[in-house]
Amino acid sequence: MNPSTRRAQPPSSLPRANQGFAWVWSLLGLAMLAFAAWCVKIDYEIRRDFEALQWELPARIYARPLEIYAGAHVSAAQLTDQLRRLGYRESSELRNPGEFQTSGNRVSLWTRGFEFWDGAEPSLYVNVEFDGNRIREMWGDQRTGMVPLVRLEPAEIALINPGNGEDRVPISLEDVPPDLVEAIIAVEDQRFYSHFGVDPIGILRALVANLRAGEIVQGGSTLTQQLVKNLYLNREQTLRRKAEEALMALALELHFSKDEILTAYLNEVFLGQQGNRAIHGFALAAEFYFSRSLDELSLDELALLAGLPRGASYYNPMRFPERAVERRNVVLARMLSQGYISAPDHEDARAAPLRVNARAPRQNAGYPAFMELVRQDLARDYDAEALRTEGLRIFTTLDLHVQNTMEATLEEAVKAVERPVSEGKLEAAVVITDAVTGEVRAVAGGRQRGYAGFNRALNAVRPIGSLVKPAVYLAALESGRFTLASVLSDRPVTLQSRGAPAWSPSNYDDKIFGDVYLHDALERSMNLATVDLGMQVGLDKVGEMLGRLGFEREVPQFPSVLLGSVDMAPVEVAQLYQTLAGNGFRSPLRTVEAVTTPTGEPLERYGIETEQVVDTASMYLLEYALQGVFERGTAQTARNRLDASLPLAGKTGTTNDLRDSWFAGYGDDLVGVVWLGNDDNSDTGLTGATGALRVWTDIMRALDIQPRLTIPPANVVWQSVALGPVRDGAQRDCRLTTSLPFLPGRLPDPAVNCEDDGSFMDRLFNRFGDF
Amino acid sequence: MLTRVLPILCFSLLSACAGMDGGRGIPAPVEDRSGAGAAVQGSSVTTPAQPTQPATPPAARTNPARSVVPGIDDLPPRTVAPGIPAPQPAPAPLEPAPAPMTMPGMPATPEAALLMEVDAALAAGDLERAAAVAERAVRIAPRDANLWYRLASIRARQGRTDEAAGIARRALSFAAPDTPVAREINDFLGTLP
């Protein structure tokens, strides 16, 4: 646009009489007074507003940072994936932060450093040597020597945008590369440091240039005027607005330093658009166009950014690369002619190819299911307004490797189990948590990658079937009245309870196993034996156990609860199994680890909490059976595919008419819950073992889940019991035995105990004496 | 009589084993007590197909499931003896990549490095930062009783005694019984209100 080339005419009046003159003069005086008052008002407002200048900043959500150290369970591919995602450049020579190089088993990188809630992570040069899926060793350079531990900066996974859609990363002037400042001054306002807000010389020069060219090729607006216009004025091009702009610019210059004005400009200016998100300021533009930080950009890249304020859409380098390069070269030429750069630098930069992102990095499209959980967690402490405007940095527990691997596996895995083949109707939900801390590592709300609709992980509240059984058996083992070798009756029963019809449960496939050991009944998921056990233990005890394991809603007191007619969302199931994986220590599932201000000052931290809800000895006995599920029970079919990761613990779950197929299981590092089912609650044709277990296995194999290394509590003793469960000691057959863990004072029943009753030879002859 | 019994015994043994393999599908926990008998070993009968297992616990070994209860030597090779430089890496092609070297005072393991940071935060009076760093260490070595205990003691200093107790009990669950650290944690738990 062309600045004020017209002048306001002074009010003309006809000299008629002295009185008339006096009248005119007083009118003039009044007008001047009004003008002065207007000036004072503008001056006051500018001072007030600019001093309090504060942008509405979106909250930034980060994934968990990758920790690199010798022994870490991280592969070279995993590290380089992460580096690429963070915008690191692969380079043959490491010269700057944000670059890496690979050779054989080694990745060398120069980290950027980051302001975490627990302190600053420095920018470091490190070499990382891999040995398969683990880091073997890590070292730095002469200066740093051995590097025990490096934390990469966290990847941004989402924004919570302010209502106006503006996004920016505020930056202070000392962090802006001088080349960028010079480029902007050269092309937008070359007398910036000498004018006083408006630049008459600049206006004249622009006028001449525009007249010569016959079109508008230069603007005469100073940076100050542009800033004022963007901050406080609307877009209309009226004379009054022009005057206002000039006055405000003058007032701004009067009260604030050049550096303050320049900083505000660098942060305010509009530089791009992505959907309804407006990219403001150069720091964010660097991330947006190059996935790099401003101080990592080269001269040509800075010049490209400096050319954008003139028309961010017109010169958009992603859409119009030729225009953008042309504009960049104009900027470079100005820098050369004004002596900011040397001729060789100019030549190099001019010749540099355009290296912008092909597409803008995804925003908010990434992990909607996880983000819903984050929003739930944040809503406890932050209102929506704070999240949209205060620029909070939110550090979450999402593990990008786990999430991406799970998503990459899930769709194919679901397709592979679906019956009839790949109708696309079968839906899925997955929750993966850290087995120790309860931190949520990955969530899928549907089978489709990045699915943003109905979030089944949180909202598909379904009967959990046999997934409830560990609570039944744990309550039994904890009571002290039962051992792994207690003999249960797996025979048909009919139960009558108040206010409910008579209930006659049956086993899957209507098998009847008769007398069975307790551990066997859990491993092979026998319904009738479980009902037998649960009724002896008491429904109240089972409900109470579910509560202790972390289920927060009321458990109905019907016998059918023993077989899982209690509805839970996958994330609720994950909490139960998290407590089992924690050896009886419950740690609430968490998605948010810390919240800081935009500059990194800690506001809130959500630390590891853990509370013992079951004694470790009872837990150990239960886990023997849950490992038995893989060793001998319903998850045996997964053994081959999981071989390297065994032993693992878990449980299959199937509901009536095969409506839900569940598997929940854990290793030393991860807990995973998989649910499969149809949204219309129809028959899936899948049991827990033929559906969810296979999906779980595919995911956990891809994640290289770590074997359980549960340390036996000191008081556990191993004793032999007869292989065949009997209730009468006279029928005991100790020729074949099985060794099971027991607790002192809760040893096997004499009817099955083959441990210490007389010498071996005595028994041998007793048995064969008749021959 | 012994000569009459032995063949029957051996036969029943073998058939039982064979039956287990195909039959009920729970092969793992079978433990053949009589196989340990010296009588069988002494005779000229071929040894049973089923490998025998020791009848008395070492608990770690009698458990039928493969390494369900690992001895300490079964732990995976998590770290290659941190601090001791592993085989010299090949020279980097371009960048001078110096061989690993240990500097005096430089912690060799990530846990040790983080514990130094915990100390620094405590010295600066920043308890929450100390807790955050201790948790970072716990995530790296989640079965290290000392790290959990460290976190518990920080929580206690913050006056968050409920949390401290839970975390200390967790620490205790990872400590071998009757070790100094277990005793210390027990004492610590005793001091909590």
Side-chain angles (χ1 to χ4, degrees), chain A residues 601-617:
Chain A
E601 286 145 56
L603 290 175
E604 200 76 52
R605 216 178 67 75
Y606 304 90
I608 295 175
E609 284 176 42
T610 192
E611 182 194 354
Q612 185 162 25
V613 294
V614 187
D615 68 287
T616 39

Side-chain angles (χ1 to χ4, degrees), chain B residues 101-162:
Chain B
M101 52 181 199
T102 312
M103 291 203 162
M106 173 68 77
T109 65
E111 299 95 308
L114 290 171
L115 284 179
M116 279 175 65
E117 236 181 278
V118 169
D119 288 338
L122 288 176
D126 191 345
L127 293 172
E128 191 52 34
R129 193 172 103 77
V133 179
E135 285 183 21
R136 221 181 131 196
V138 161
R139 279 187 205 94
I140 286 171
R143 296 186 181 281
D144 187 327
N146 283 299
L147 298 178
W148 284 94
Y149 176 42
R150 199 68 197 275
L151 179 58
S153 64
I154 297 167
R155 288 302 187 211
R157 276 181 67 177
Q158 289 178 298
R160 293 160 70 165
T161 45
D162 284 356

Side-chain angles (χ1 to χ4, degrees), chain A residues 286-356:
Chain A
E287 280 177 30
F288 182 71
Y289 291 109
F290 298 104
S291 289
R292 317 205 76 204
S293 69
L294 207 49
D295 56 7
E296 291 170 13
L297 299 186
S298 53
L299 176 61
D300 59 297
E301 291 163 327
L302 294 170
L304 183 115
L305 293 181
L308 290 176
R310 170 60 57 88
S313 311
Y314 185 82
Y315 295 115
N316 180 349
M318 292 187 236
R319 293 186 59 198
F320 309 110
E322 292 87 9
R323 282 184 201 167
V325 168
E326 203 180 314
R327 175 74 185 153
R328 175 194 79 182
N329 293 346
V330 168
V331 176
L332 289 168
R334 291 278 191 91
M335 292 180 81
L336 177 66
S337 69
Q338 291 173 38
Y340 288 119
I341 55 174
S342 66
D345 284 350
H346 173 253
E347 273 318 301
D348 287 351
R350 252 186 91 88
L354 189 62
R355 288 184 293 184
V356 291

Side-chain angles (χ1 to χ4, degrees), chain A residues 63-69 72-83 86 109 111 116 121 130 135 149-155 398-402, chain B residues 136 140:
Chain A
R64 180 184 189 222
L66 185 63
E67 301 256 20
I68 316 175
Y69 53 91
H73 187 202
V74 174
S75 68
Q78 200 178 324
L79 175 60
T80 51
D81 271 6
Q82 179 72 7
L83 291 174
L86 292 171
L109 65 149
T111 68
F116 282 98
E121 184 76 24
F130 290 88
I135 292 173
L149 180 64
V150 166
R151 181 163 44 165
L152 292 184
E153 62 268 32
L398 181 79
D399 186 317
L400 281 179
H401 170 66
V402 175
Chain B
R136 221 181 131 196
I140 286 171

Side-chain angles (χ1 to χ4, degrees), chain A residues 263-445:
Chain A
T263 306
Y265 175 85
L266 292 168
N267 285 308
E268 164 54 36
V269 63
F270 168 78
L271 295 169
Q273 186 79 35
Q274 177 189 32
N276 59 2
R277 172 187 182 217
I279 310 299
H280 285 260
F282 284 93
L284 180 61
E287 280 177 30
F288 182 71
Y289 291 109
F290 298 104
S291 289
R292 317 205 76 204
S293 69
L294 207 49
D295 56 7
E296 291 170 13
L297 299 186
S298 53
L299 176 61
D300 59 297
E301 291 163 327
L302 294 170
L304 183 115
L305 293 181
L308 290 176
R310 170 60 57 88
S313 311
Y314 185 82
Y315 295 115
N316 180 349
M318 292 187 236
R319 293 186 59 198
F320 309 110
E322 292 87 9
R323 282 184 201 167
V325 168
E326 203 180 314
R327 175 74 185 153
R328 175 194 79 182
N329 293 346
V330 168
V331 176
L332 289 168
R334 291 278 191 91
M335 292 180 81
L336 177 66
S337 69
Q338 291 173 38
Y340 288 119
I341 55 174
S342 66
D345 284 350
H346 173 253
E347 273 318 301
D348 287 351
R350 252 186 91 88
L354 189 62
R355 288 184 293 184
V356 291
N357 292 328
R359 284 182 304 118
R362 283 198 306 179
Q363 290 292 334
N364 292 338
Y367 309 104
F370 180 81
M371 278 305 298
E372 191 178 345
L373 212 47
V374 169
R375 281 169 188 271
Q376 270 184 16
D377 283 357
L378 285 175
R380 285 198 289 265
D381 291 324
Y382 294 91
D383 61 29
E385 184 62 16
L387 291 174
R388 280 199 305 269
T389 61
E390 291 177 11
L392 302 176
R393 289 179 172 192
I394 293 155
F395 296 89
T396 73
T397 59
L398 181 79
D399 186 317
L400 281 179
H401 170 66
V402 175
Q403 176 78 31
N404 292 338
T405 307
M406 180 266 282
E407 286 190 355
T409 317
L410 181 63
E411 201 166 348
E412 277 305 306
V414 172
K415 206 186 271 178
V417 299
E418 184 165 22
R419 299 285 176 273
V421 178
S422 58
E423 222 178 19
K425 185 181 168 197
L426 185 65
E427 268 304 342
V430 183
V431 179
I432 299 177
T433 69
D434 183 292
V436 177
T437 62
E439 292 162 345
V440 179
R441 294 279 178 252
V443 182

